Amino acid sequence: MQPLYLLCCPCHFGLERTLRFEISKIGGTDITAQDGRVLFRGDALTIAKANLSLSVAERVLIQLGQFPAYSFEELFQGMRSIPLEQWIGKDDAFPVKGHALDSKLHSVPDCQSILKKAAVERLKSVYHTSWFTESGAIHPLHFTIRKNIATIYLDTSGIGLHKRGYRKNANAAPIKETLAAGIVDLARVHSDSVVCDPFCGSGTILIEAAFKALRIAPGMHRRFLAEKWAQIPESVWKEARSEAVTRIQRDATFTAIGSDIDEAAIALTEENCRRAGVKPRIRLVQQDVAEFQPPEGAITICNPPYGERMLDIQQAQSIYRIMGDVFPADKAHPCYIITPDADFELHFGKPANKKRKLYNGMIQCNLMSYFQ
């Protein structure tokens, strides 16, 4: 029987429920959702599946230990007591990074230094050496200290999971891939859906909608740090990738329509759709939002320009008024619009059926849902 590990996946605030459901589908057990993260248990195959398939997780972490840390001595001894050698070999690299919040130990550089020293001392006692070349596989150690409780993680992903590999370039204010995937899930996109984005930008929403509808694992076209670890056999990753390929729903009827006033944005979206392997499913047209006419039954999902990011507030609100004129925003034409403007409904001219608080980067937003 494969050993089970305590795993942790951070996510955008507001997407915990979506992530919890995705984790249950890949075989995670003992799932617990907290603010901005979901904890669960799984084996090595679960780790591989999580990296490949979770659409809203930011990364997949193995929780190695947790202990009180009111002083540097407690921090040092807590780290030193963790059996790091189960994962970190004699030649492996083990960089340390993290953050502290509402704790007596608030200096991140000092905490990094103490934890690195403790890790070195632990591994010195195991491997009987006074020097580590750290020339082997990278095993990043992450720490959080919250209310004087330190938690130590091992990062299996490396580059954040929002980096799918298809977006080599982006426009001025792209939506994060994991947030776009969460909105697509909340919009209930299915294999037979038609999705429209009249502000397609670099195509992120369209691509994530296609991934969801066609059941394409978002991590299919990239690699992960843990693939180089001796502790997780190559066969595990092959099995996870093979299973992901068999899950793709090639007979789905999903299509999408993307538009943007900017010719460069259309070209960029086309390039990214091609990289993602979903270009045949997506039709692109250069047009102003004032010309937008969604087909009946289509789901409109968009991230319109923000006054605080790309345009001044008056320009953004003018666009919202145009959207209100051309978006039917009813049961036959459901709409999901993410915006930081607290007065969006006033300018759009219609109250949302539901509002959900989400964060786009550090900007607090609302997902305005219109479906009746």
Side-chain angles (χ1 to χ4, degrees):
M1 185 175 178
Q2 292 291 325
L4 292 180
Y5 309 107
L6 178 58
L7 307 174
C8 175
C9 287
C11 66
H12 285 273
F13 286 98
L15 297 182
E16 296 89 352
R17 185 174 179 181
T18 297
L19 179 53
R20 179 174 184 151
F21 178 69
E22 287 190 335
I23 289 170
S24 70
K25 290 200 299 182
I26 63 166
T29 60
D30 300 329
I31 306 171
T32 304
Q34 300 177 354
D35 287 344
R37 62 179 181 164
V38 177
L39 299 171
F40 60 105
R41 293 191 182 276
D43 58 13
L45 182 59
T46 309
I47 292 173
K49 289 181 178 180
N51 276 293
L52 282 165
S53 301
L54 298 180
S55 70
V56 299
E58 295 301 318
R59 54 186 65 245
V60 182
L61 307 171
I62 301 171
Q63 183 168 315
L64 300 179
Q66 189 173 75
F67 49 85
Y70 291 87
S71 67
F72 285 131
E73 179 63 19
E74 287 183 313
L75 187 65
F76 181 91
Q77 295 300 338
M79 174 65 108
R80 193 177 183 182
S81 69
I82 295 173
L84 301 175
E85 64 277 3
Q86 292 180 2
W87 292 99
I88 302 173
K90 181 180 178 181
D91 298 320
D92 291 339
F94 48 103
V96 177
K97 65 179 182 179
H99 64 271
L101 182 67
D102 296 332
S103 299
K104 288 188 174 182
L105 302 180
H106 53 81
S107 170
V108 170
D110 287 343
C111 291
Q112 282 180 290
S113 178
I114 293 294
L115 289 169
K116 180 70 174 186
K117 184 177 179 181
V120 167
E121 291 302 314
R122 170 77 192 199
L123 295 173
K124 280 170 63 176
S125 68
V126 173
Y127 295 120
H128 307 292
T129 182
S130 59
W131 178 256
F132 294 94
T133 63
E134 298 198 45
S135 57
I138 302 173
H139 292 65
L141 294 169
H142 288 213
F143 69 89
T144 64
I145 307 176
R146 295 180 180 176
K147 297 183 178 179
N148 303 302
I149 299 296
T151 308
I152 309 299
Y153 302 101
L154 185 63
D155 178 16
T156 72
S157 303
I159 298 171
L161 295 183
H162 70 282
K163 297 285 190 180
R164 318 292 206 204
Y166 63 75
R167 200 168 74 177
K168 300 297 183 183
N169 299 296
N171 59 341
I175 190 170
K176 203 171 182 181
E177 294 89 334
T178 44
L179 177 57
I183 294 172
V184 164
D185 184 81
L186 295 170
R188 299 181 182 180
V189 171
H190 298 297
S191 62
D192 59 350
S193 295
V194 177
V195 169
C196 298
D197 181 0
F199 303 97
C200 65
S202 55
T204 306
I205 289 173
L206 299 172
I207 293 168
E208 294 299 326
F211 281 178
K212 171 76 173 179
L214 303 176
R215 298 181 186 174
I216 297 173
M220 282 283 287
H221 303 296
R222 57 158 289 181
R223 296 291 174 175
F224 311 95
L225 275 186
E227 291 188 71
K228 297 181 179 180
W229 297 358
Q231 296 82 3
I232 302 181
E234 183 180 352
S235 60
V236 168
W237 294 97
K238 286 183 177 179
E239 180 180 348
R241 289 184 185 277
S242 176
E243 186 177 314
V245 170
T246 62
R247 269 203 321 270
I248 297 174
Q249 193 169 348
R250 304 181 191 278
D251 60 349
T253 59
F254 169 87
T255 56
I257 304 167
S259 58
D260 201 291
I261 194 172
D262 184 2
E263 181 181 2
I266 294 297
L268 182 56
T269 295
E270 184 173 20
E271 177 188 351
N272 290 339
C273 289
R274 187 178 296 110
R275 288 181 182 276
V278 297
K279 178 63 181 69
R281 302 287 183 150
I282 297 170
R283 180 166 64 88
L284 301 172
V285 57
Q286 183 184 354
Q287 69 177 21
D288 190 284
V289 68
E291 302 170 33
F292 179 63
Q293 292 182 317
E296 185 166 346
I299 305 169
T300 297
I301 309 172
C302 63
N303 173 37
Y306 294 175
E308 55 203 89
R309 299 184 76 182
M310 295 178 68
L311 305 171
D312 64 43
I313 293 175
Q314 288 75 21
Q315 285 178 300
Q317 292 175 345
S318 175
I319 290 175
Y320 300 157
R321 286 190 286 271
I322 295 171
M323 290 167 60
D325 291 337
V326 299
F327 284 29
D330 55 26
K331 188 175 182 179
H333 308 85
C335 297
Y336 297 82
I337 305 161
I338 185 168
T339 174
D341 194 328
D343 295 324
F344 174 83
E345 292 163 293
L346 176 64
H347 302 290
F348 189 71
K350 302 172 187 177
N353 296 107
K354 187 173 183 179
K355 291 192 287 187
R356 183 187 295 266
K357 186 184 295 183
L358 296 173
Y359 283 83
N360 190 2
M362 297 302 293
I363 301 174
Q364 181 178 316
C365 298
N366 281 308
L367 179 64
M368 301 292 185
S369 303
Y370 295 87
F371 46 75
Q372 288 182 358

